[in-house]
Amino acid sequence: MSSTGDKVKGMANEAVGNVKQGVGKATDNTKLEVEGKVQEKKGEAQQAVGKAKDAVKKAVDKS
């Protein structure tokens, strides 16, 4: 997957995770809230992978 794809999927997972957390809090659904937190962290990790790929590509391009 491209770095852009990783970053986009990461942002989407973060957004969905935040929504799940909000709904979980509003409905007192601990399971949904935890799922949201996990999905948010997954999104953050995907974005980090995308950024790392960008950094590697820039380093290779400079060589």
Side-chain angles (χ1 to χ4, degrees):
M1 178 177 293
S2 70
S3 61
T4 303
D6 287 324
K7 290 189 274 186
V8 169
K9 280 190 172 186
M11 284 187 266
N13 272 318
E14 267 193 85
V16 171
N18 283 325
V19 170
K20 281 184 178 181
Q21 286 180 62
V23 171
K25 285 179 185 177
T27 61
D28 202 27
N29 184 334
T30 307
K31 182 181 178 213
L32 187 60
E33 191 175 345
V34 169
E35 285 177 13
K37 287 179 184 178
V38 169
Q39 191 163 2
E40 181 182 11
K41 294 300 178 190
K42 178 182 174 184
E44 289 173 1
Q46 283 174 314
Q47 286 189 60
V49 167
K51 289 177 184 176
K53 285 181 181 179
D54 280 345
V56 169
K57 184 178 182 320
K58 285 180 186 176
V60 169
D61 289 344
K62 286 183 180 180
S63 298

